Amino acid sequence: MAPSTPVSGLSLPCLVLLLLLEIPGARAQEFQLLQPQGNVSVSAGETLTLSCSVTGLAPVGPVKWFKGSGSGRQLVYSDKEPQPPRVTKAVSGSDTDFTIRISDTRPEDAGIYHCVKFKMTSGGDEEISSGTGMDVTVRARPSAPSVSGPPSRAEPGPSVNFTCTSGGFSPRDITVTWLKNGTKLPNPKTQVLPAQESVSYSVSSTVELSLTPGDARSQLTCQIEHSTSPAPLRATYNLSAALRVPPRLRVGTAPAAPVALNASVTFTCRAEGFYPKDASLTWLENGNEMNLGKSSPPAENPDGTYTLQSSLEVKATEQRSQSVFTCRVVHDSQPPVNASEMLRFSQPPPEPGQSPFSSPALWIGLFLEKVLTAAFLLFLFLRSKQ
């Protein structure tokens, strides 16, 4: 058999080499870094997966993950450096798959993530390729709302502010509704902070309300609606915690004044419609406190307020003529409230030091009694002579 003849002056080994170079896949592939571009949205607490892979012949050097760009970018993952426990490589030991997972995502994990390839040089790692970036948003549920009232109790009438707060949520849009006993309240003032774009937000809402005595049984509700919550979040506030209703006092006597000398008289005092329950009642005679009186426990009224009643029994002696008996009530550590009644006699008692027989009226009465007695005896005498 004749030996092979070179084609165009090329030897057979050269032709084989040329053929191999023309076969698809036989030529060394060019290096590529593949990172899918787009937006990813996860809920707080879920696991975030960020994909990245390389193909072709890659120079020696690490692949790293960063959040952000430029000089302020933050290192998220590198095979050569310690990593936070929440960040792990999806395929451990792989030289081509550099997908990572971030567990228990938080609002602060939001941002744009880049997969970056470096090559090792004598002067250190040099960046040669970077992914286009993956924009990650984290949907975070608002914290449980909290309602606060005035720093001290308020009486019915003036407006009182109540504030509802919540935080840590994303996206920014949120709705706050106030209800009193299930009825929507108008014109709350709601503010979401910060005003500029952020990874998470907080909300503060304030409503003005005028309290009434019946609010001892009323309830205020703050209701929050957000896209991450399947149902509204609610916080309630019992208005009894902010309410103070001062007592109304009534003092009376039995029997009704004026009374007879040396009669037994009962003074009664009613402290009505007060809230909260804490109240004490004392009696005073002419400004001097008396360790007397019988008080019943506070009784709850249908509207949630309370009534306290006390009685004081005294003898209407001469020394107590024109005496003033005072019912004093101290309620919820406030200044005392007083109501008084004077002891009055149906006939004024004799003045001190004056004898009953020194009264002219008494002497006239005695004289008339004697005259009538004498006339009656004379009549009987004359009749017996007939």
Side-chain angles (χ1 to χ4, degrees):
M1 183 174 180
S4 61
T5 305
V7 178
S8 303
L10 295 177
S11 64
L12 182 61
C14 290
L15 290 173
V16 172
L17 179 61
L18 288 173
L19 289 173
L20 288 174
L21 290 174
E22 293 298 324
I23 297 174
R27 193 185 324 182
Q29 292 183 351
E30 182 182 355
F31 169 77
Q32 284 186 311
L33 184 146
L34 305 175
Q35 180 189 0
Q37 183 180 10
N39 300 329
V40 176
S41 180
V42 294
S43 296
E46 294 180 346
T47 297
L48 170 65
T49 300
L50 298 173
S51 299
C52 178
S53 60
V54 296
T55 61
L57 294 176
V60 177
V63 173
K64 301 181 182 181
W65 277 94
F66 293 91
K67 185 173 78 168
S69 59
S71 59
R73 65 184 181 180
Q74 175 187 348
L75 178 65
V76 175
Y77 179 84
S78 171
D79 278 335
K80 307 302 181 181
E81 301 178 39
Q83 307 305 319
R86 294 191 302 122
V87 182
T88 57
K89 189 175 180 182
V91 183
S92 179
S94 174
D95 292 331
T96 58
D97 191 340
F98 295 91
T99 298
I100 63 171
R101 294 191 179 101
I102 303 176
S103 62
D104 187 25
T105 52
R106 303 163 186 174
E108 56 266 29
D109 292 329
I112 300 178
Y113 288 77
H114 296 271
C115 180
V116 181
K117 171 61 180 176
F118 292 81
K119 72 175 180 179
M120 188 180 300
T121 67
S122 59
D125 293 339
E126 177 184 337
E127 180 178 333
I128 62 170
S129 181
S130 174
T132 53
M134 181 69 70
D135 191 358
V136 175
T137 59
V138 180
R139 302 184 306 273
R141 186 176 180 180
S143 62
S146 174
V147 178
S148 59
S152 59
R153 293 183 181 270
E155 296 185 5
S159 295
V160 180
N161 288 339
F162 295 87
T163 301
C164 178
T165 56
S166 178
F169 57 88
S170 183
R172 191 176 194 275
D173 293 338
I174 196 167
T175 301
V176 181
T177 305
W178 286 91
L179 304 101
K180 179 184 176 183
N181 298 329
T183 301
K184 185 177 179 180
L185 295 176
N187 305 322
K189 298 177 181 178
T190 302
Q191 185 178 29
V192 179
L193 295 175
Q196 67 274 16
E197 187 175 351
S198 176
V199 296
S200 66
Y201 301 89
S202 63
V203 64
S204 176
S205 181
T206 300
V207 67
E208 288 188 1
L209 188 64
S210 295
L211 301 178
T212 67
D215 283 334
R217 294 190 184 278
S218 295
Q219 194 172 71
L220 198 62
T221 301
C222 171
Q223 178 175 287
I224 288 181
E225 295 173 274
H226 190 258
S227 60
T228 59
S229 299
L233 303 176
R234 295 184 178 92
T236 58
Y237 184 97
N238 294 321
L239 291 180
S240 58
L243 178 67
R244 180 191 299 116
V245 184
R248 305 184 303 273
L249 296 189
R250 291 192 302 148
V251 176
T253 60
V259 299
L261 182 66
N262 293 323
S264 179
V265 182
T266 300
F267 289 87
T268 58
C269 178
R270 284 177 60 86
E272 300 176 333
F274 61 88
Y275 192 90
K277 186 178 181 180
D278 180 26
S280 61
L281 188 153
T282 55
W283 286 98
L284 297 89
E285 181 178 0
N286 297 325
N288 299 314
E289 188 170 328
M290 308 171 66
N291 294 322
L292 301 173
K294 297 179 180 179
S295 298
S296 58
E300 188 172 12
N301 302 318
D303 63 355
T305 60
Y306 291 88
T307 294
L308 177 63
Q309 182 167 316
S310 180
S311 61
L312 174 68
E313 186 174 346
V314 298
K315 189 174 183 180
T317 61
E318 294 180 15
Q319 293 81 5
R320 282 189 163 133
S321 176
Q322 307 296 309
S323 289
V324 177
F325 290 86
T326 300
C327 171
R328 171 171 292 175
V329 175
V330 176
H331 174 241
D332 194 36
S333 303
Q334 297 302 296
V337 181
N338 299 325
S340 301
E341 183 77 13
M342 181 181 289
L343 182 61
R344 301 190 302 273
F345 293 109
S346 54
Q347 291 184 356
E351 295 181 7
Q354 181 181 3
S355 171
F357 296 102
S358 63
S359 171
L362 179 61
W363 283 110
I364 293 173
L366 291 174
F367 175 75
L368 291 176
E369 182 184 4
K370 298 297 183 181
V371 171
L372 291 174
T373 302
F376 180 70
L377 292 176
L378 179 60
F379 171 73
L380 292 178
F381 175 76
L382 294 175
R383 186 175 180 180
S384 65
K385 293 294 186 178
Q386 294 179 355

